[in-house]
Amino acid sequence: MYNNMLTLYAHSHPDFPTDTSKWEPLFSEDCGTLRGEDCDLCTTLGPYHGHLNKVAYFAGKFAAEMFPEGANRESARQWGQLAGWWHDLGKFAPDWQKYLKNKVDSHSDDITGKVDHSTAGAQKSVQAHPAFGQSLAFAIAGHHSGLLDTRTNGIGCQEERLRKKDIPKLVQIPKSLDQLSPSEFPEFLMNAMREDRNTYSTPFFTRMLFSCLVDADFLATEAFMSPKETATRNQTPNDALRKISELVTKKIDGFGEPADIVNRKRATVVRDCARKAEERQGLFTLTVPTGGGKTLSSLHFALKHALVHGQQCVIYVVPFTSIIEQNAEVIREIVSDLQSDAFTPLIEHHSSLSPEKETEQGRLAAENWDAPIIITTAVQFFESLFAAKTSRNRKLHNIANSVVILDEAQSLPVNLLKPCLRTLQELTDHYNTTAVLCTATQPAIGYDEKNFNIGLKNCREIIEDTSGLFDSLKRVEIEDIGECSDDELAKRILATEQILCIVNRRRHAQELFQLLPKDANGYHLSALMCPEHRSKILSEIRNRLTKRQPVRLISTQLIEAGVDVDFPVVYRALAGLDSIAQAAGRCNRNGKLEGMGKTFIFRPDDQNAETYFRETAQIASTVIESYNDDLLGEDAIHSYFDHYYYQRKDRCWDEKSILDNFRFDKRMEDCPFRFQFVKASKDFKMIDNSQVPVIIPYRKDDKDETACELIEKLRNENIPIHRRLLRNLQRYTVQIYPQILEENIDAFEKLRNDQFHVLISPELNYSKDFGLTLDEAHSNKVFLSI
């Protein structure tokens, strides 16, 4: 046995690779954490304190913070600490210590490949407890490579790791580590397993335990290897949520006494949110018509609720990146006074973040969602909760003990509804999390034993009188005009000076736009335009609307994704009732018309809409027949979602059988946990990821050279591809299908080993009206998606 544990190391020092006196010790015997006490060297990530000690302290701390109080909290702390103590047991092997020293010795000719240091701890976990130790073993075995499947047809599964014989032999590890053993599982897990129910609870806890370990390991390693980054990390004050809540309240109070019906009802929404915030944590719905001020109201509720229940952050989840930019701007303006060199109150975590709004603090905080307010997408949120990779799991423990606002909740994909709702139920039932389903068209996702047994249980509505609110904020009359040819539709558009027309396909939007005369003040929007181009068009449109100048916009449904425009007249091609409601939300949005806004539903000549629109349109047709007098009323909305959800069989709610990947078989005493984390991660995809980005040298005007300058940096092999460069380039990308790229490959310049594709001749293949326009022979494929 090693008498002096400081002769064993976890990491060499990056600045002193040959001076072992500067290296990070693997383990320190004299540590309060071992005795259940606080340890200053652990809490401050002391550089010459044991790596295992620091990881154990923080993994235990993170695990305990997921639970409010009681036995679950202490049990979780012990499991988190044990994961930290044992995650690097393999580094007690002389072979690993030799590998570490040889790796930094330029004169050594005995440098071998990496030495397995994670299997030893996983095997130790199962030896200590054959059943519950499996959960610990998943976390430890995957703390570098990611969570594994229990069993696969190939290699690299959990069972193989636990049977592995050719791992480095350990010296006798310290008794203080060797004699540790798992405590009882948290009580709610034990109860679920005894009753053979809620089998998803155990893999979910395993994933959260994994998150605690991974984040703790990252932070401890970073503190030693990159102390400058650690010093840059967010230093959130204890009273951050209180200060943010006060600023939001001040903003709301600053609107003054409501002068009209719209603002009076917005004030009612705020009051209801403040009142309901006092209630116990759990599941809530916030049903507010478009334009009812739900962004600030939901945030007001979340902050007050978090303060009442000691929750640590507010996570704002939206379905589309276009909504994020709008909502984030509102919140960022409110909390801007709190921003400092040491603290950023708000982080955005999504793919289209504007680089000028991203700080180094924000970048680091996005790794583990260490901030009071996080704004992200539903894709990032839910796919992370089913991911296997360490980078995506790292932040998950910070979702526990938070308030999650799900904006536009009706947009959750039906084919993944069961795993999404099951995860929300797990978070709210056991992890002191509150979820708020926020929408103008509340889906019928409450539990119904007969018709919808996957539904959420114990949901409470925040608004006291939803019917009265919708009646009071009714600013739009909806009329179904039936079939309408493109020629007739063009005449109607030209007869109105300010009008929005939304159709279901890009191709149809282009054809309709081409029917308008050149001098018709016409505009077109679709996702074939790069974000910078769309921002310019929307800015022009809003300016003309404000000045009451003619503006005729033809768009795909991307305009419905929370884009803040206000037209007096809207036409909407038949689609789902939720889409129709979103379209109506762009009509008389702020209630400034003397009378009602007009929204017309029509059935277009174009019948080639995607399957999704055909199906939802058929359901909407049925509802229109029954509720034509009040198409956006609560009864009509409920009827629509009843048809949309309940007519499906259980398999369609979990099309890829995601939850079937997580089974607990108590008959298998040696390995009762049959968890397929990798398979679930591959199958759980909220959007079609098959599209690839292409870069457009777009210019706002003759003086704008931004895109070209960025592309020149990309061409220069001497300039590294850093995060800021990629963030900037995202503003100039368009997503297309790989086969379209391949068929039009001559139109693109390939850079950095074919990793990036840049449009060569934008003057030929990129239109100021339509965005990306490729070879006519293949364009039908391009325009099939929205």
Side-chain angles (χ1 to χ4, degrees):
M1 174 179 177
Y2 287 95
N3 292 322
N4 181 2
M5 286 301 145
L6 293 184
T7 62
L8 297 181
Y9 304 103
H11 300 102
S12 58
H13 198 292
D15 297 327
F16 305 99
T18 60
D19 184 356
T20 56
S21 70
K22 297 285 199 295
W23 290 12
E24 182 184 37
L26 176 60
F27 173 70
S28 298
E29 188 80 58
D30 185 18
C31 175
T33 301
L34 277 168
R35 301 184 296 274
E37 303 168 359
D38 288 337
C39 171
D40 290 340
L41 288 171
C42 284
T43 57
T44 58
L45 294 168
Y48 301 112
H49 195 48
H51 176 71
L52 298 185
N53 306 65
K54 292 177 285 189
V55 176
Y57 170 80
F58 277 100
K61 176 179 181 289
F62 295 155
E65 287 173 347
M66 295 192 299
F67 300 94
E69 58 188 14
N72 286 334
R73 182 180 180 88
E74 187 53 36
S75 175
R77 183 195 303 278
Q78 292 180 31
W79 278 84
Q81 286 188 349
L82 196 57
W85 289 126
W86 287 354
H87 82 289
D88 275 355
L89 279 187
K91 292 185 178 182
F92 281 98
D95 283 352
W96 195 90
Q97 292 293 320
K98 181 180 178 181
Y99 155 76
L100 180 64
K101 291 175 181 178
N102 286 345
K103 189 173 69 167
V104 299
D105 184 356
S106 61
H107 302 290
S108 174
D109 56 2
D110 188 26
I111 302 175
T112 58
K114 289 185 176 181
V115 177
D116 182 351
H117 70 272
S118 57
T119 300
Q123 292 182 353
K124 173 71 173 173
S125 301
V126 177
Q127 290 165 9
H129 200 303
F132 302 150
Q134 297 279 341
S135 193
L136 203 61
F138 272 110
I140 292 173
H143 78 271
H144 283 304
S145 58
L147 289 166
L148 299 171
D149 286 342
T150 296
R151 179 182 294 172
T152 66
N153 294 327
I155 60 174
C157 65
Q158 185 76 352
E159 284 187 344
E160 182 189 62
R161 292 288 290 276
L162 295 178
R163 291 193 301 262
K164 190 175 180 180
K165 301 294 185 183
D166 59 336
I167 62 173
K169 186 177 180 180
L170 306 184
V171 298
Q172 186 176 352
I173 62 176
K175 285 185 179 180
S176 54
L177 292 186
D178 196 31
Q179 294 177 355
L180 292 170
S181 62
S183 66
E184 283 287 294
F185 245 19
E187 186 177 1
F188 75 94
L189 293 173
M190 297 295 294
N191 291 338
M193 286 186 287
R194 288 191 194 104
E195 299 173 19
D196 196 24
R197 61 177 175 80
N198 285 348
T199 55
Y200 181 59
S201 292
T202 303
F204 191 86
F205 176 74
T206 301
R207 186 186 298 281
M208 298 299 265
L209 184 66
F210 176 63
S211 170
C212 295
L213 173 60
V214 168
D215 195 23
D217 192 29
F218 265 102
L219 292 173
T221 302
E222 177 190 82
F224 181 76
M225 304 292 286
S226 306
K228 288 184 178 179
E229 286 204 342
T230 296
T232 306
R233 283 196 173 274
N234 222 12
Q235 299 174 32
T236 304
N238 292 332
D239 60 350
L241 281 179
R242 180 184 61 77
K243 288 183 176 179
I244 294 171
S245 181
E246 289 172 354
L247 289 173
V248 171
T249 301
K250 182 179 179 181
K251 176 71 173 180
I252 292 170
D253 291 345
F255 292 135
E257 193 65 30
D260 53 51
I261 184 62
V262 171
N263 285 308
R264 283 197 293 275
K265 287 303 175 181
R266 286 174 178 168
T268 299
V269 172
V270 170
R271 284 196 297 272
D272 284 355
C273 284
R275 173 183 52 81
K276 211 74 170 181
E278 302 289 331
E279 293 194 4
R280 72 182 188 280
Q281 64 80 225
L283 285 158
F284 291 87
T285 56
L286 177 60
T287 309
V288 176
T290 301
K294 68 181 186 306
T295 299
L296 277 182
S297 298
S298 62
L299 184 61
H300 188 55
F301 166 88
L303 290 165
K304 287 187 174 298
H305 187 78
L307 289 170
V308 169
H309 296 284
Q311 292 160 308
Q312 62 188 358
C313 66
V314 174
I315 304 172
Y316 209 108
V317 182
V318 300
F320 309 107
T321 54
S322 57
I323 305 178
I324 281 189
E325 295 178 3
Q326 185 172 290
N327 289 352
E329 198 60 46
V330 172
I331 300 172
R332 187 184 294 106
E333 181 182 343
I334 294 172
V335 302
S336 59
D337 288 346
L338 299 180
Q339 182 78 41
S340 71
D341 293 339
F343 170 55
T344 184
L346 165 70
I347 61 169
E348 299 175 57
H349 192 180
H350 56 91
S351 61
S352 63
L353 176 62
S354 300
E356 66 274 9
K357 295 174 183 174
E358 183 178 40
T359 64
E360 182 65 8
Q361 269 176 356
R363 181 187 71 79
L364 292 170
E367 294 176 349
N368 60 353
W369 284 7
D370 183 15
I373 300 181
I374 299 99
I375 301 185
T376 190
T377 60
V379 171
Q380 178 67 236
F381 182 80
F382 284 105
E383 288 190 3
S384 292
L385 283 161
F386 285 94
K389 291 182 179 179
T390 56
S391 58
R392 298 200 77 174
N393 273 263
R394 180 180 173 185
K395 58 183 173 286
L396 297 188
H397 68 91
N398 279 328
I399 296 176
N401 198 27
S402 70
V403 182
V404 178
I405 301 171
L406 288 160
D407 197 14
E408 307 297 350
Q410 80 285 349
S411 64
L412 290 175
V414 176
N415 65 328
L416 292 172
L417 200 57
K418 186 176 180 180
C420 287
L421 297 184
R422 184 68 189 84
T423 299
L424 290 176
Q425 194 78 60
E426 192 68 26
L427 283 166
T428 55
D429 281 355
H430 303 301
Y431 291 85
N432 200 40
T433 301
T434 293
V436 183
L437 280 68
C438 189
T439 177
T441 51
Q442 197 65 247
I445 54 178
Y447 177 79
D448 183 315
E449 185 174 0
K450 181 179 179 180
N451 295 313
F452 200 59
N453 60 10
I454 69 165
L456 294 172
K457 297 178 181 178
N458 304 316
C459 277
R460 288 159 283 166
E461 173 58 50
I462 291 175
I463 301 303
E464 189 171 309
D465 180 14
T466 54
S467 297
L469 180 65
F470 274 73
D471 289 342
S472 300
L473 287 179
K474 190 172 182 180
R475 306 181 301 276
V476 179
E477 291 178 348
I478 297 180
E479 181 181 345
D480 179 11
I481 63 173
E483 294 182 2
C484 187
S485 68
D486 284 357
D487 287 339
E488 173 62 24
L489 192 55
K491 290 178 182 177
R492 286 173 172 259
I493 292 170
L494 289 171
T496 306
E497 287 200 332
Q498 290 190 335
I499 185 171
L500 166 63
C501 179
I502 306 171
V503 296
N504 291 329
R505 291 200 314 142
R506 294 171 178 168
R507 167 67 69 175
H508 189 203
Q510 287 193 0
E511 291 172 345
L512 194 56
F513 180 83
Q514 289 172 327
L515 293 176
L516 303 183
K518 296 285 186 183
D519 59 352
N521 296 297
Y523 292 86
H524 166 273
L525 278 178
S526 88
L528 285 177
M529 297 169 165
C530 67
E532 199 68 23
H533 189 179
R534 294 203 303 268
S535 294
K536 178 193 174 185
I537 296 296
L538 282 169
S539 178
E540 291 181 12
I541 289 169
R542 291 186 181 113
N543 186 48
R544 295 188 70 86
L545 286 170
T546 300
K547 294 180 178 179
R548 300 190 177 183
Q549 295 173 341
V551 53
R552 299 175 174 93
L553 173 59
I554 297 172
S555 176
T556 60
Q557 82 275 12
L558 71 83
I559 194 74
E560 297 169 356
V563 179
D564 189 4
V565 290
D566 189 352
F567 283 85
V569 178
V570 172
Y571 278 73
R572 182 57 169 101
L574 183 65
L577 200 58
D578 52 338
S579 293
I580 292 171
Q582 289 290 345
R586 314 308 126 195
C587 181
N588 195 20
R589 184 177 180 85
N590 296 313
K592 294 183 177 179
L593 296 179
E594 290 184 5
M596 302 285 275
K598 302 285 187 180
T599 294
F600 298 96
I601 304 169
F602 66 94
R603 291 153 177 76
D605 284 341
D606 179 80
Q607 297 296 317
N608 293 318
E610 292 178 329
T611 302
Y612 170 82
F613 290 103
R614 285 202 297 271
E615 182 179 12
T616 55
Q618 288 171 358
I619 298 172
S621 290
T622 303
V623 175
I624 289 171
E625 290 177 6
S626 303
Y627 296 93
N628 195 37
D629 292 339
D630 190 15
L631 194 55
L632 298 185
E634 287 187 291
D635 291 343
I637 296 295
H638 287 159
S639 176
Y640 172 78
F641 281 110
D642 283 352
H643 283 83
Y644 190 34
Y645 290 153
Y646 294 170
Q647 71 178 358
R648 295 167 180 268
K649 295 180 181 179
D650 179 73
R651 183 63 58 190
C652 292
W653 295 326
D654 188 4
E655 198 171 60
K656 297 291 183 67
S657 302
I658 302 298
L659 294 184
D660 289 344
N661 288 298
F662 306 108
R663 297 182 179 277
F664 174 70
D665 188 349
K666 58 185 177 184
R667 295 171 300 177
M668 306 290 290
E669 292 184 4
D670 60 331
C671 186
F673 299 164
R674 320 302 286 183
F675 303 156
Q676 302 295 97
F677 288 108
V678 177
K679 185 177 184 302
S681 176
K682 289 179 179 177
D683 289 343
F684 189 95
K685 301 298 179 187
M686 293 193 73
I687 59 173
D688 181 4
N689 287 330
S690 63
Q691 295 190 84
V692 294
V694 294
I695 300 169
I696 311 298
Y698 171 75
R699 301 170 66 181
K700 284 186 176 181
D701 52 50
D702 293 339
K703 296 179 181 179
D704 185 9
E705 295 290 343
T706 307
C708 293
E709 290 169 359
L710 292 170
I711 292 167
E712 282 303 314
K713 291 180 180 178
L714 204 58
R715 290 193 181 106
N716 187 342
E717 298 281 347
N718 294 320
I719 297 178
I721 302 174
H722 52 79
R723 184 183 177 95
R724 183 164 289 275
L725 175 59
L726 295 178
R727 287 292 202 194
N728 276 292
L729 283 167
Q730 284 174 351
R731 299 291 298 170
Y732 300 92
T733 60
V734 169
Q735 300 280 337
I736 61 175
Y737 288 104
Q739 67 268 28
I740 303 301
L741 175 62
E742 185 62 31
E743 291 167 357
N744 293 274
I745 197 66
D746 291 343
F748 295 93
E749 174 187 4
K750 292 182 281 188
L751 299 175
R752 304 285 182 121
N753 296 320
D754 298 350
Q755 186 180 357
F756 301 93
H757 294 81
V758 179
L759 189 66
I760 295 172
S761 302
E763 67 278 3
L764 298 176
N765 294 309
Y766 194 86
S767 162
K768 67 179 181 62
D769 291 325
F770 302 131
L772 188 62
T773 55
L774 296 174
D775 184 353
E776 186 66 23
H778 310 300
S779 59
N780 279 333
K781 296 178 183 177
V782 179
F783 299 132
L784 276 177
S785 62
I786 305 305

